[in-house]
Amino acid sequence: MRLEMGNFYVKDVVFGAATSFQDGVLTIHKDEALSVVLQDDHITEVDLVIAKPGDPIRITPVKEAIEPRCKVSGGVMFPGVLNKLMPAGSGRTHALKGSCVLAVGKRWGGFQDGLIDMSGPGAKQTIFSQLINICLVADTDEEFERYEQQKKNKALRWAGMRLAEYIGNCVKNMEPEELEIFELPSLDQRSEKVRNLPGVVYVMQLQSQMLENGYNALVYGWDSNHMLPTYMHPNELLDGAVISGSFMPCSSKISTYQHVNNATIKRLLSEHGKTLNFLGVIVSNLNVQLEEKTRSALFVRQLATALGAQGAIVCEEGYGNPDADFIAVFNALEEAGIKTVGITNECTGRDGRSQSLVDLSEKADAIVSTGNVSQLLKLPPMEIVIGDLESLARDGNSGGWEGSVKEDGSIEMENNGMFCSDANTGEYYKTVVDY
C-alpha cells in the first residue's frame, strides 16, 4: 500500500475574496466557509477567528482539531464518517501543514473539552500553540446535552471536518512543496534481509469507554466500543481512517489532527528495513468491564503472535480505568515473549506522590511518560479569549473547578484540561522527569 502525502507549508492565514493558497499564505473566503459549516441546521451561531502562534489569545472550550486536507486520488476524506465508506491509505492526499481547524464552543463546554494558550507559559503545554489555528466558534441547538458534563459535540465536530475538507480542497490541483511517500509492503513481499530484522507492531488503544454511540473514537465510522482488536495498515491511520472521539479528560485525548500525524507511526515507517521490520498496527480499544479488557488483551496477543512480532509499542489514550487495559496488554505481550514499550501519561497527583497508573505490573518495565494530568498550572490573563472562559469552571472541564477563573482573567487549572497536551502519539516533547 502506497500513500503519497503532498505537503503545502502555511506561513500565514488571512480572510479574502477567494479560498486559495499562494506563496505560503492561505486565504479563506469567510462567507463561503461559513456556508459549509451551516449545512448542519443544528448550528445556530458561528464565526471564524484566526489565532496565530505568539498571539495574546486563550481558546476554550476546544472540542476537536483537524488538519486541512483533501483527497486527490485513491479514496475520500473521512471515509465512513463524512463520505462514503471505502479504504483509506493509498493514492495521494494533500495537506496544509502548519494550520489546523479547531472546533470551539461559543458558550458551552464539558468534561472532555480543552484549553489552548497561543502565548505565555500555557503555550508550552500543547503543540497546538505552535500552529495557525482556524477557530470555528459556534453554538448549537443540541439542548439534550447542553447541561450534560459529557457531550457528544457532534454538530461542531462534524462541522470541523467539513470545514477542514473545504479549506484543503484549495490545493487539490496544485503541485506540493514536498511529497512524502509512506509505503509498507505486505508481509509476504518483504525481502529476507527485512524479515531478519526485529519484527515490531504498534498497538493503538483507542478511547471507547462509553456504551452509548457518539462519544468514542471511530474506525471507518464504526464506534470502537463495539470492535475487537483489529489489524490495520499504518497508512490507513495516516490517511484519516480513525476519527477522535468526544470523551476523555482533554490532556489525554488524541485529536483527529494527531491521528493523521502520528509521529510514532511515522518513525516506525522510517526505520522499517533499517533497524526493524514494521509489521503494522493493531487498533485496540479501552473498555470498562474486566471481561472486555481481558478479551481485548487476548486478541492483541494473538494478532501480535500471528504476525511474528518480537517487539511492540503500546499507546494508551487516557488514564485511570484504561490503565487496566494498558497493563493487561503489556502483560499479555510480555508473557508471549514480545518485548513491549508503553507510551502513556500519568496521574501522580499535584504533589507527584500518588501511584502514577491505576494498575501496575513488574512486566511493564519500559514506559515513556508524556506528562502528568494533575500538574497544577497558574496562567496569567490573556488579552483575547476565543470561546467562553467561564466554561472552564462552570461546565465540568476535567482540569477546572469553581474558582478556577479569577476576576482578572487569570486561571488556575490542572493539565488535565489542556487540549491534547500530553500527545501520547509522540508529536510533542513533554514528559515527566524523576528528580
Side-chain angles (χ1 to χ4, degrees):
M1 186 178 285
R2 175 187 171 95
L3 174 65
E4 297 180 353
M5 184 63 60
N7 296 326
F8 299 79
Y9 287 90
V10 179
K11 300 174 183 176
D12 197 9
V13 179
V14 298
F15 294 120
T19 298
S20 62
F21 180 79
Q22 186 175 4
D23 298 328
V25 179
L26 172 62
T27 302
I28 300 173
H29 187 297
K30 190 172 184 178
D31 289 342
E32 193 171 271
L34 290 175
S35 70
V36 171
V37 172
L38 290 167
Q39 289 174 10
D40 188 336
D41 293 338
H42 289 293
I43 296 177
T44 56
E45 298 179 65
V46 64
D47 193 12
L48 295 182
V49 184
I50 298 169
K52 303 175 184 179
D55 284 349
I57 289 177
R58 176 163 290 150
I59 313 168
T60 191
V62 183
K63 302 172 183 295
E64 169 67 303
I66 311 108
E67 184 171 63
R69 290 181 164 205
C70 69
K71 198 68 187 173
V72 178
S73 66
V76 296
M77 291 293 297
F78 311 114
V81 182
L82 272 193
N83 296 301
K84 64 181 179 179
L85 182 58
M86 60 185 304
S90 62
R92 180 180 284 200
T93 299
H94 284 177
L96 287 159
K97 294 294 181 184
S99 68
C100 181
V101 170
L102 296 180
V104 184
K106 187 171 183 177
R107 292 190 180 87
W108 301 97
F111 173 78
Q112 66 289 315
D113 298 335
L115 180 144
I116 298 170
D117 275 356
M118 298 303 295
S119 61
K124 299 177 182 179
Q125 293 294 316
T126 173
I127 190 176
F128 292 96
S129 65
Q130 300 175 11
L131 303 174
I132 303 177
N133 292 304
I134 303 149
C135 302
L136 189 171
V137 189
D139 197 7
T140 77
D141 65 0
E142 295 167 307
E143 296 294 337
F144 68 95
E145 66 178 10
R146 174 154 286 175
Y147 299 103
E148 295 291 331
Q149 185 186 33
Q150 295 173 351
K151 298 175 173 63
K152 297 179 181 178
N153 289 320
K154 180 175 181 180
L156 293 189
R157 291 162 58 215
W158 263 239
M161 286 186 278
R162 289 197 305 276
L163 180 60
E165 184 175 16
Y166 160 78
I167 294 171
N169 274 325
C170 76
V171 294
K172 187 170 186 175
N173 298 317
M174 297 175 63
E175 282 301 312
E177 302 167 44
E178 175 187 64
L179 190 63
E180 290 183 282
I181 306 298
F182 299 110
E183 192 168 16
L184 191 67
S186 60
L187 298 178
D188 64 343
Q189 294 180 350
R190 300 183 185 184
S191 68
E192 183 178 356
K193 176 185 175 182
V194 171
R195 292 199 301 270
N196 286 334
L197 293 170
V200 177
V201 69
Y202 179 66
V203 182
M204 166 60 77
Q205 293 185 300
L206 297 174
Q207 184 52 238
S208 58
Q209 290 180 274
M210 299 296 282
L211 298 179
E212 184 180 343
N213 286 347
Y215 295 98
N216 300 312
L218 300 177
V219 180
Y220 283 107
W222 186 253
D223 192 303
S224 53
N225 178 266
H226 308 316
M227 64 180 282
L228 289 169
T230 301
Y231 177 78
M232 294 180 69
H233 194 287
N235 286 5
E236 294 178 90
L237 283 80
L238 297 179
D239 203 28
V242 175
I243 301 299
S244 175
S246 185
F247 170 76
M248 196 63 231
C250 206
S251 70
S252 307
K253 187 161 63 175
I254 300 173
S255 67
T256 299
Y257 179 97
Q258 291 164 299
H259 279 303
V260 299
N261 287 289
N262 189 307
T264 307
I265 288 179
K266 289 184 177 181
R267 180 63 183 272
L268 286 166
L269 285 169
S270 71
E271 292 295 322
H272 176 73
K274 301 174 184 175
T275 61
L276 55 84
N277 179 12
F278 185 20
L279 301 173
V281 181
I282 298 174
V283 175
S284 185
N285 46 12
L286 297 162
N287 306 294
V288 176
Q289 297 183 18
L290 180 58
E291 183 177 310
E292 295 171 341
K293 297 175 186 293
T294 303
R295 183 181 297 112
S296 285
L298 184 153
F299 267 81
V300 169
R301 171 179 171 159
Q302 297 293 67
L303 284 168
T305 302
L307 290 167
Q310 296 165 277
I313 297 174
V314 181
C315 171
E316 175 191 10
E317 181 182 14
Y319 73 95
N321 184 292
D323 293 343
D325 303 73
F326 180 64
I327 295 299
V329 167
F330 228 114
N331 286 337
L333 291 171
E334 287 283 344
E335 288 166 4
I338 300 171
K339 296 183 181 297
T340 304
V341 175
I343 305 177
T344 185
N345 56 2
E346 304 178 50
C347 183
T348 66
R350 295 179 189 174
D351 60 4
R353 295 182 178 180
S354 297
Q355 181 171 299
S356 59
L357 301 176
V358 166
D359 196 10
L360 296 174
S361 169
E362 291 183 354
K363 295 181 177 68
D365 59 359
I367 296 177
V368 177
S369 170
T370 60
N372 176 17
V373 303
S374 305
Q375 180 187 5
L376 185 63
L377 304 172
K378 295 183 179 180
L379 305 176
M382 284 286 175
E383 292 178 25
I384 302 168
V385 173
I386 296 175
D388 182 6
L389 184 58
E390 293 302 321
S391 69
L392 176 66
R394 183 192 65 218
D395 300 335
N397 180 300
S398 55
W401 57 87
E402 185 177 350
S404 285
V405 181
K406 312 304 180 185
E407 288 186 7
D408 65 351
S410 62
I411 57 176
E412 187 175 10
M413 64 180 291
E414 288 185 347
N415 172 50
N416 226 343
M418 296 297 293
F419 185 73
C420 299
S421 65
D422 293 341
N424 291 349
T425 45
E427 292 81 15
Y428 209 37
Y429 56 75
K430 278 178 59 179
T431 188
V432 170
V433 178
D434 185 14
Y435 290 96

